[in-house]
Amino acid sequence: MAKSTAENTFLRLKTVLDVLTEGVWSGDALNAGQVLAEATARVPFNEHEAELLSGGIPRGHKTLTSATAKLVKAGWLVKGRSGWTITEDGMRATVAYPDPVSFATALDAGTPVPADTPVPAAPAGFVRPVSAAAATLEVPAKEETAKKTTRKTPAKKAAAAVGKAAKVLEDAVEPVVKAVRKTKAPAKDTAADAAAEPFEGPDVETHPQPEAVAVAGDFNTILGAPENWAPQYDEAQMEFDFLDQLWKKSAELPAGFYTFKIALNRSWDENYGAYGAFDGPNHELHHNGGTVTIRYNHATRDITIN
């Protein structure tokens, strides 16, 4: 018999704790996106839950994201910017309430975990299971890339040093980087040598990036956009900094309390809220007035505000 949305949601909440417990045993720090993806992969959506809401978000995903607040209220889960952390009580809850019915009853009633419930230990020889979510992804072959090797010329080594320094002193180093890039490499004995050892810019670890990233929130009209919460407008777009691989948006805002989300490619199809959660709760900004800079790291889904 098919389970209802409520039953599935409680089962996924228990799975969230199971996944985080496995992360503790294996020493892996998991962010919100990884945990939610694994929970929904292990407990798939039924037909009703798979329906897409406005913005292209599955109904079941939105329900689960909101329901995780129950775990926080129970003291079983802590949500932080660096990821989600299960508490000792949360781990003990997986032992005290091993089946979905007792788990749902205790969570709804706010029943404390019995004091004599032990914290579960990793089974002997434990190896974290292969991610059910990752198993559905196709990984491109890297054979050709692995075979390629590049000799580092003195010019490349110097440029690499500039690239590393730029991460710390971005404003001071950027003019130097531009100057280095314009410098001509020493003459080569042959055209073949010149082609084999081209001058290259700073070594920067890159990550696939979206075409556009917007700060969509209740202050977009202050930035000059026609309306708030509209990621399609130019005024909401962030600028990508290749050197530190961050998207940035600086603006002058009056003192006040603001909320926003990070939206990709000028739409709500893919957006990230607090703690980097896909379609998660709004980011909050308590601002004293003046210039504020928001930075978004697409590799980790983290943001910083200053």
Side-chain angles (χ1 to χ4, degrees):
M1 182 177 178
K3 291 183 173 63
S4 67
T5 296
E7 291 173 315
N8 279 339
T9 299
F10 277 113
L11 188 53
R12 292 186 190 107
L13 288 175
K14 184 179 184 306
T15 303
V16 165
L17 296 186
D18 290 338
V19 171
L20 287 169
T21 297
E22 292 166 4
V24 171
W25 291 343
S26 63
D28 295 326
L30 304 175
N31 62 40
Q34 291 172 306
V35 175
L36 293 174
E38 186 66 15
T40 55
R42 294 187 188 183
V43 186
F45 296 138
N46 60 31
E47 186 175 349
H48 174 70
E49 294 169 324
E51 291 179 3
L52 299 183
L53 303 175
S54 58
I57 308 302
R59 184 189 306 276
H61 190 287
K62 195 171 187 69
T63 301
L64 175 60
T65 301
S66 300
T68 57
K70 293 178 179 287
L71 299 178
V72 176
K73 184 177 180 181
W76 299 350
L77 173 68
V78 175
K79 296 181 178 181
R81 290 201 177 279
S82 59
W84 286 6
T85 305
I86 189 171
T87 64
E88 282 197 0
D89 266 357
M91 294 180 69
R92 291 166 60 233
T94 65
V95 176
Y97 313 115
D99 61 276
V101 175
S102 63
F103 180 86
T105 302
L107 189 57
D108 256 352
T111 305
V113 178
D116 58 351
T117 304
V119 175
F126 172 80
V127 177
R128 188 167 168 241
V130 175
S131 168
T136 63
L137 301 177
E138 293 184 4
V139 180
K142 296 183 178 179
E143 184 176 350
E144 291 187 8
T145 303
K147 291 181 180 179
K148 294 181 180 179
T149 57
T150 305
R151 290 173 55 195
K152 276 202 171 185
T153 64
K156 182 177 179 181
K157 291 180 180 178
V162 172
K164 292 177 181 178
K167 292 181 180 179
V168 181
L169 300 172
E170 176 184 329
D171 293 338
V173 174
E174 187 172 2
V176 178
V177 176
K178 292 180 179 178
V180 171
R181 286 176 175 169
K182 292 179 180 179
T183 302
K184 292 184 178 179
K188 302 293 181 179
D189 292 336
T190 65
D193 287 341
E197 296 184 340
F199 178 77
E200 297 183 28
D203 284 344
V204 178
E205 183 178 354
T206 61
H207 185 275
Q209 300 293 332
E211 293 183 4
V213 176
V215 178
D218 55 11
F219 54 87
N220 290 150
T221 54
I222 299 177
L223 305 182
E227 57 184 318
N228 288 325
W229 296 102
Q232 68 269 30
Y233 295 115
D234 291 342
E235 292 82 358
Q237 304 308 309
M238 307 180 83
E239 292 184 0
F240 183 64
D241 189 323
F242 179 81
L243 290 175
D244 56 13
Q245 296 285 291
L246 297 178
W247 293 83
K248 303 176 183 179
K249 181 70 173 179
S250 294
E252 287 282 334
L253 294 178
F257 172 72
Y258 303 96
T259 57
F260 66 95
K261 285 189 178 184
I262 298 297
L264 308 190
N265 301 323
R266 296 178 180 264
S267 79
W268 287 110
D269 290 346
E270 184 176 359
N271 70 86
Y272 298 95
Y275 316 113
F278 178 77
D279 198 39
N282 296 337
H283 289 290
E284 297 181 352
L285 170 60
H286 297 267
H287 187 47
N288 294 326
T291 302
V292 61
T293 299
I294 299 172
R295 295 175 173 83
Y296 168 68
N297 186 330
H298 188 59
T300 63
R301 309 295 192 266
D302 288 336
I303 72 156
T304 55
I305 306 173
N306 57 22

